[in-house]
């Protein structure tokens, strides 16, 4: 499954090499629910004729998700971007928001779309997450919030971010698009911050084709979010806010409920594949894998490698293209940096050396539950030759 909203796709049409023996291996491939079970759910929907607007599948999916994730309240959305926009509206964020340049562009777009000013902070050089130690220097009287991203599902330094947010009374909205099921010290990472936003896009660990969710901690906030995703309507005759249409239809909710049956075994499979990659890619000069992180349960949905061209003997782009020529379609998540796009160039106010360096070095290798050992061996053989 190709990631259709990846900006690099626009520049680089992917043409599988018909001369190679292998079928294309894409960076990810979605797991789909059992078709017979989905058909049973569809029959129920067809019988009830209730196809959207907080139907029974919608209600059940929110409850099951909260249980599965170990969080208090979930409001599901039609995609992660609309959920990000709504999260900022729900907390009535104004002024400047400190965020990361090392993310998918939707993170920063959600700020500009709300007339907020993104203030880009550098990232830590190992995991690529917002460097909590650098946040404080960027705070001004106009700063109201921090929007960090748990990049690749690796948790940010949530305790350090909480400390700085408390000290300056800032809100924290985590872009947790990659962090489905991730835990820190046996607690969902989604329980940190004021709000967390998930994406259920087809490329994510858990997919509903398109979709997303906001995680919040109290019933009043959940009610406000639910109103905002339904045009700001309350009751039959009142609109209390300029809301949006972020609703999820019953077909998608039914699909999502079935996905909960297989997500744990998918994550286990991806964990095994990650271990296999790590073992086979250790001790290659100039090729670095992401180090393990303590007290954390990951979802293993990305496998980034970092290429130091002087030591590896080939640049990151040369390796990326060589993989492509052999029908292996990794992705350079996240290159270019958000601050390198024309829309954001003038908004980078401080230097971002760590973000620049990892954006220059990264390739995410194919990783998904159905990836076979033969395919892994083939990918490794192309990297090693
Ligand atoms: C970090 C990050 N934030 C936000 C999004 C946007 O999510 P969606 O594609 O569901 O709108 C994505 C996914 O594409 C993402 O990777």
């Amino acid at each position: 499954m190709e990631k259709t909203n990846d900006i690099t796709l626009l520049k680089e049409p992917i043409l599988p090499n018909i001369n190679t023996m292998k079928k294309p291996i894409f960076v990810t491939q979605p797991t789909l629910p059992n078709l017979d079970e989905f058909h049973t759910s569809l029959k129920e929907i067809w019988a009830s004729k209730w196809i959207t607007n907080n139907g029974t599948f919608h209600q059940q999916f929110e409850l099951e998700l909260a249980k599965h994730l170990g969080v208090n309240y979930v409001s599901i959305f039609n995609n992660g971007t609309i959920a990000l926009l709504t999260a900022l509206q729900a907390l009535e964020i104004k002024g400047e928001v400190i965020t990361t340049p090392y993310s998918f562009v939707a993170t920063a777009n959600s700020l500009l779309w709300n007339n907020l000013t993104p203030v880009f902070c550098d990232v830590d050089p190992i995991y690529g997450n917002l460097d909590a130690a650098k946040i404080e220097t960027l705070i001004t009287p106009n700063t109201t919030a921090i929007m960090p991203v748990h990049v690749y599902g690796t948790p940010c330094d949530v305790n350090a971010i909480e400390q700085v947010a408390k000290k300056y009374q800032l809100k924290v909205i985590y872009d947790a698009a990659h962090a489905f099921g991730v835990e820190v010290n046996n607690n969902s990472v989604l329980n940190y911050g004021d709000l967390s936003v998930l994406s259920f896009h087809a490329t994510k660990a858990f997919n509903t084709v398109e979709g997303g969710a906001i995680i919040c901690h109290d019933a009043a906030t959940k009610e406000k979010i639910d109103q905002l995703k339904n045009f700001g309507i309350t009751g039959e005759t009142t609109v209390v806010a300029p809301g949006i249409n972020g609703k999820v239809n019953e077909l998608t909710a039914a699909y999502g409920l079935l996905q909960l049956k297989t997500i744990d075994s998918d994550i286990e499979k991806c964990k095994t594949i990650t271990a296999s990659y790590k073992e086979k890619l250790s001790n290659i000069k100039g090729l670095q894998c992401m180090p393990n992180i303590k007290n954390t349960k990951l979802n293993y949905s990305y496998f980034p490698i970092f290429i130091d061209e002087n030591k590896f003997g080939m640049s990151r782009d040369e390796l990326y293209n060589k993989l492509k020529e052999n029908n292996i379609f990794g992705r350079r998540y996240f290159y270019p940096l958000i601050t390198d796009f024309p829309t954001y160039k003038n908004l980078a106010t401080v230097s971002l050396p760590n973000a620049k360096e990892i954006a220059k070095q990264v390739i995410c290798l194919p990783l998904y539950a159905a990836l076979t050992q033969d395919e892994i061996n083939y990918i490794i053989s192309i990297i090693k030759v």
Side-chain angles (χ1 to χ4, degrees), residues 3 5 79-81 103-104 106-107 149 175 177-178 199 201 204 211:
K3 181 174 169 60
N5 58 358
N79 63 63
T81 304
S103 182
F104 184 61
T107 311
V149 180
D175 180 338
H178 304 176
S199 165
H201 182 255
K204 299 298 187 281

Side-chain angles (χ1 to χ4, degrees), residues 158-179:
V158 285
N159 293 319
I161 290 171
E162 190 172 305
Q163 266 183 18
V164 73
K166 264 202 180 132
K167 185 169 168 189
Y168 293 91
Q169 296 183 316
L170 305 175
K171 299 285 186 196
V172 180
I173 300 175
Y174 281 105
D175 180 338
H178 304 176

Side-chain angles (χ1 to χ4, degrees), residues 258-270:
L258 294 175
Q259 293 290 64
L260 284 172
K261 292 187 177 187
T262 49
I263 180 65
D264 284 345
S265 73
D266 273 6
I267 289 175
E268 273 308 305
K269 286 175 195 156
C270 289

Side-chain angles (χ1 to χ4, degrees), residues 53-78 198 200 206 212-216 222-223 225-227 229 246-248 250 252-254 256-257 260:
N53 284 37
N54 201 26
T56 50
F57 282 99
H58 182 293
Q59 290 170 32
Q60 198 192 340
F61 186 33
E62 286 192 341
L63 292 175
E64 295 289 330
L65 266 173
K67 218 187 306 166
H68 184 95
L69 294 168
V71 300
N72 286 333
Y73 295 94
V74 176
S75 180
I76 53 171
F77 274 77
N78 49 9
L198 290 163
F200 303 153
F206 178 89
I214 301 180
I215 310 305
C216 64
K222 156 93 169 131
E223 191 182 0
I225 291 166
D226 286 347
Q227 287 166 1
K229 80 174 179 198
K247 289 178 285 131
V248 175
E250 287 290 274
T252 301
L257 269 168
L260 284 172

